[in-house]
Amino acid sequence: MFYWLDQLIEYLVENVFGLSMDTQLGSSIHFFFYDTIKIIILLSIMIFIISYIRSFFPPERTKKILEKFSGIKANIMASLLGIVTPFCSCSSVPIFIGFVEAGIPLGVTFSFLITSPIVNEAAFAVLLAAFGWKIALIYVMTGVLIGVISGAIIGKLKMEKEVEEYVYQMKTAEVNIIDPSTQERIIFALDNVRDIVKRVWLYLLIGIGIGAAIHGYFPDEGFLAQYAGPENPFAVFVAVILGIPLYSNAIGTIPIAEALIGKGVGIGTALAFMMAVTALSLPEMILLRKVIKPKLIATFVVITGIGIILVGYLFNLLVPIIR
Amino acid sequence: MVIKVLGSGCSACKKLEANVKEAVNELDLNVRIEKVEDIKDIVAYGVMKTPALVVDEQVKVMGRIPKVKEIKKYLSN
């Protein structure tokens, strides 16, 4: 799909910059331009498609859909809807209250809250650019799986007492969902593309810059493979612990991860790190503290963390087989 | 007429407020614009995704930032 671009940048490096592709500088410059253009094209396409689908699923409608399901089916639905429902961390509290108030079980609410940040269109687009379809799809499926299983466990633990009292006493109105016209949906999707690209481009460029430097100047294999390679089970654990306080822009971490994987870091290790950065973010926990007690927050972090570590192992095992 | 902008103070909410003010100025209306920032009041409207626009206690838009032209439509009826 991007062979033409690869060739074009190679031509630029060799004829405009006058560098050989075999030099460290030449290969760094190629990585930088090729990756930047490829990621921005894919990112824009993905955000547009998902935002358009998203305009059909405002959280108010998601709530209505979830009221119809029960048991593990409800966890699966919640997790899947977590992919397409628009969500930023400033909405997590009203969404939590709205769900609980509508009588949606706590575990089902968590399935939604966990999958939503892990599987987002931006991460998907960049994964697609860096690793191709298979890895990107497996990432989505495992993100859904973590949401379903973690939510189901939280549901089984019967932690309703760990929600702040006032949440149960709140009354929310039934709101009429106003469906936008097709033209409004397209405008909404384009606005989203502009917003997200505007928000992440700098992080992305910094990430690609660091990735390009690693790509061109870092010694091949050896040291990294030894400490953070797929054979080191401890590395996944450390990556997840590191990811929790690092609420950075996950998008910027992907090109760095891509370059590091090229140098021998396990893919599972890198993906577990990315999932931890997005799913277990400190600002999110601080917001959720308004509605749930510390014990439930801790439970959510531990269960989701274990899920992500297991996914890291899974990828480290699987990737050599499917690539 | 009372116009309310619901939002917990994120940048999207501020943008909506600016658009509302512009729409009001263009239509030369004499209306009150209120900001609703308390989470309890926001969910009381049934809104789960901010920013939201409420005109005379009716939720008109939620979870996105309408353009000035669109806001004028809600204010003219």
Side-chain angles (χ1 to χ4, degrees), chain A residues 111-131:
Chain A
S111 284
F112 176 88
L113 287 177
I114 293 167
T115 303
S116 200
I118 296 183
V119 184
N120 62 69
E121 65 271 36
F124 183 75
V126 183
L127 282 169
L128 195 62
F131 308 116

Side-chain angles (χ1 to χ4, degrees), chain B:
Chain B
M1 188 188 323
V2 180
I3 304 170
K4 291 182 179 174
V5 175
L6 316 187
S8 43
C10 56
S11 64
C13 317
K14 293 189 179 76
K15 178 97 179 69
L16 173 62
E17 197 191 3
N19 284 2
V20 169
K21 280 184 177 148
E22 195 172 323
V24 168
N25 286 341
E26 282 182 24
L27 292 169
D28 206 11
L29 294 169
N30 188 4
V31 291
R32 212 169 61 223
I33 303 174
E34 286 180 21
K35 284 192 76 171
V36 179
E37 290 184 351
D38 190 343
I39 207 84
K40 290 178 187 152
D41 301 333
I42 293 173
V43 295
Y45 281 98
V47 168
M48 291 156 87
K49 175 122 173 66
T50 55
L53 174 69
V54 176
V55 179
D56 287 338
E57 299 307 299
Q58 281 223 320
V59 180
K60 295 290 185 191
V61 177
M62 50 197 177
R64 61 189 179 89
I65 306 169
K67 301 260 183 292
V68 175
K69 199 172 118 191
E70 191 187 337
I71 299 172
K72 279 160 85 173
K73 202 171 67 189
Y74 301 127
L75 301 184
S76 316
N77 305 344

Side-chain angles (χ1 to χ4, degrees), chain A residues 99-175:
Chain A
F99 278 20
V100 169
E101 203 266 345
I104 290 168
L106 201 56
V108 175
T109 303
F110 268 99
S111 284
F112 176 88
L113 287 177
I114 293 167
T115 303
S116 200
I118 296 183
V119 184
N120 62 69
E121 65 271 36
F124 183 75
V126 183
L127 282 169
L128 195 62
F131 308 116
W133 281 107
K134 284 181 191 163
I135 304 278
L137 279 176
I138 295 179
Y139 179 85
V140 171
M141 288 191 285
T142 48
V144 170
L145 204 65
I146 289 177
V148 171
I149 295 171
S150 306
I153 296 172
I154 288 172
K156 282 271 179 293
L157 292 174
K158 296 264 181 290
M159 297 186 81
E160 281 70 13
K161 291 192 305 297
E162 301 301 322
V163 176
E164 294 292 348
E165 300 307 322
Y166 77 87
V167 175
Y168 293 118
Q169 285 140 21
M170 285 177 112
K171 281 283 158 278
T172 68
E174 265 310 307
V175 70

Side-chain angles (χ1 to χ4, degrees), chain A residues 215-226:
Chain A
H215 185 82
Y217 292 88
F218 212 85
D220 271 346
E221 305 287 328
F223 143 87
L224 268 177
Q226 186 189 334

